[in-house]
């Protein structure tokens, strides 16, 4: 008789490990299967990990987890070809341990640490093993087929936390082929730079971090963003656009990254830094409309596999962890009833939709499509804002009132009605 587990978790990213950790902590027999050589070996992230969702699982995790820097400043740059409108927040509140908000991390280190914590709770982790399919009997998932010899393993419930473009969820008919507009290809580099140089250039105290998100010219006006984050002794720089934008514009991701690195506002910050690593990965961008079926008999889909990413606020790892935690709660409830049916596990779907995950994704449900179909926001308005700021702040003997009139007329160049329509649409999508 082959060995049977209470839970099989596919994937050792933030979603899978959160679920595995909590299930094992509550006494379930858990098998976690990861295709990478070790957890994190194949994983990529800009690098901002939010505190709250992990703290709910492991209180004060930052005291032992391999975090890079707690973030005290978040900047947002609206770039044109040679300038930037800069917005942001810097506060000492985030510098105090009890108020930490988020941290930069390097996934290869972090995922290994988190998976080890789950193993300490009793999770059995197998690396270098691919789950090829779910085993289904009379419509119920009863196990998984792996690429190992004698690779079938049986369970009461399978958690699919296998990341963006989950082939396993697709095989079960939970979602269709993901469309190019629903996913962004992001490329990034880790650039080594001494800690003191990072502190000086980003105006940071020792052990404090800063994030910069860039819009507009960073993606040559295409739908997407670029980012620059500070680690202890390195920087993460990356850029991503939807696959549809890449195809339509014929841009090459690596060329775009070189463009960002050479942008006059970015270049001085990374000057002299040594390229240490080059990574590329997809990010779900479909949002609310792209969420697949989340539960079936004997199966739950969590994290990126369920498209739970808020691209506007670059939140993905927190949604992955929260959905992994919800999956564990649903499984523990099912264990009490002894039934792992879709009906019983449906509490997971309810929790996802009723929490900040469902609410935030619903709030921005039309944002990606609107920005894709109305390129003027990134291509025209951001350069206009830069021109307006330049005009306003240049002292040249022209009166402020005349400057204001000139700026107003510039915004009306698209036509009064179209400008008002643009403003209304933007308000509606972001409200
Ligand atoms: P993943 O982290 O993708 O983990 C899935 C795991 O499953 C992987 O380890 C994979 O190897 C494994 N796997 C897949 N298929 C199989 C299989 N068949 N068998 C066995 N194992 C399998 N989020 C943030 O919160 N902050 C950020 O700053 C941020 N920046 C990002 C920057 C980039 C460039 C990218 C690509 C993403 C970023 N995200 C960010 C999003 C974040 O990384 C994801 O939302 C998060 O990693 C999702 O976690 P997950 O566990 O669902 O999936």
């Amino acid at each position: 008789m082959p060995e049977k587990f209470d839970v099989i978790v596919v994937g050792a990213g933030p979603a899978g490990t959160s679920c595995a950790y909590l299930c094992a902590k509550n006494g379930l027999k858990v098998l976690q299967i990861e295709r990478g050589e070790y957890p994190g070996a194949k994983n990529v992230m800009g690098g901002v990990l939010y505190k709250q969702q992990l703290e709910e699982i492991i209180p004060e995790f930052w005291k032992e987890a391999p975090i890079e820097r707690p973030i005290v400043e978040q900047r947002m740059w609206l770039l044109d070809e040679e300038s930037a409108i800069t917005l942001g927040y810097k506060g000492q509140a985030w510098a105090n341990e009890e108020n930490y908000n988020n941290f930069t991390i390097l996934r290869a280190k972090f995922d290994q640490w988190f998976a080890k914590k789950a193993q300490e709770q009793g999770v059995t982790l197998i690396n270098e093993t691919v789950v090829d399919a779910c085993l289904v009997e009379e419509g119920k998932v009863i196990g998984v087929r792996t690429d190992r010899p004698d690779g079938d393993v049986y369970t009461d419930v399978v958690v699919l936390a296998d990341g963006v473009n989950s082939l396993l969820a697709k095989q079960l008919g939970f979602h269709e082929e993901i469309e190019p507009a629903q996913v962004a290809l992001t490329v990034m580099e880790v650039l080594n730079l001494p800690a003191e140089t990072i502190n000086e250039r980003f105006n940071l105290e020792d052990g404090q971090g800063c994030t910069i998100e860039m819009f507009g010219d960073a993606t040559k006006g295409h739908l997407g963003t670029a980012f620059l984050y500070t680690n202890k002794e390195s920087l993460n720089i990356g850029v991503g656009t939807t696959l549809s934008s890449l195809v339509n514009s014929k841009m090459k991701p690596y060329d775009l990254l070189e463009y960002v690195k050479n942008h006059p506002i970015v270049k001085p910050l990374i000057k002299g830094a040594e390229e240490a690593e080059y990574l590329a990965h997809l990010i779900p961008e479909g949002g609310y409309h792209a969420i697949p079926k989340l539960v079936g008999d004997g199966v739950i889909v969590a994290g990126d596999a369920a498209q739970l990413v808020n691209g506007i606020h670059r939140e993905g790892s927190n949604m992955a962890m929260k959905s992994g935690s919800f999956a564990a709660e649903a499984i523990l409830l099912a264990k009490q009833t002894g039934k792992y049916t879709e009906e019983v596990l449906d509490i997971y779907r309810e929790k996802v939709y009723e929490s900040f995950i469902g609410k935030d994704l619903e709030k921005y449900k039309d944002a990606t499509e609107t920005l894709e179909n109305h390129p003027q926001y990134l291509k025209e308005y951001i350069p206009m804002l830069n021109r307006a700021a330049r005009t306003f702040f240049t002292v040249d003997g022209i009166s402020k009132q005349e400057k204001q009139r000139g700026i107003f007329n510039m915004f009306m160049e698209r036509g009064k009605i179209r400008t008002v329509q643009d403003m209304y649409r933007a308000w509606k999508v972001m409200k």
Side-chain angles (χ1 to χ4, degrees), residues 347-359:
I347 185 81
Y348 165 73
R349 187 191 55 78
E350 283 173 23
K351 282 172 186 277
V352 166
Y353 276 93
E354 281 165 14
S355 68
F356 74 94
I357 302 178
K359 287 182 182 156

Side-chain angles (χ1 to χ4, degrees), residues 10-16 33-36 40 42-48 50 107 129-131 161-164 168 186 188 227 229 281-283 302-305 309 314-318 320:
V10 185
I33 305 175
E34 166 57 45
R35 71 179 168 185
K42 286 183 179 280
N43 294 342
V44 182
M45 186 164 119
V48 179
Y50 300 89
R107 282 288 297 272
T129 305
V130 177
V131 173
D162 50 337
V164 58
L168 300 169
T186 303
M188 64 172 271
F227 57 85
Y229 301 154
H281 207 275
L282 294 174
I283 307 183
D304 275 14
V309 170
R314 63 111 161 81
E315 290 180 30
S317 60
N318 57 334

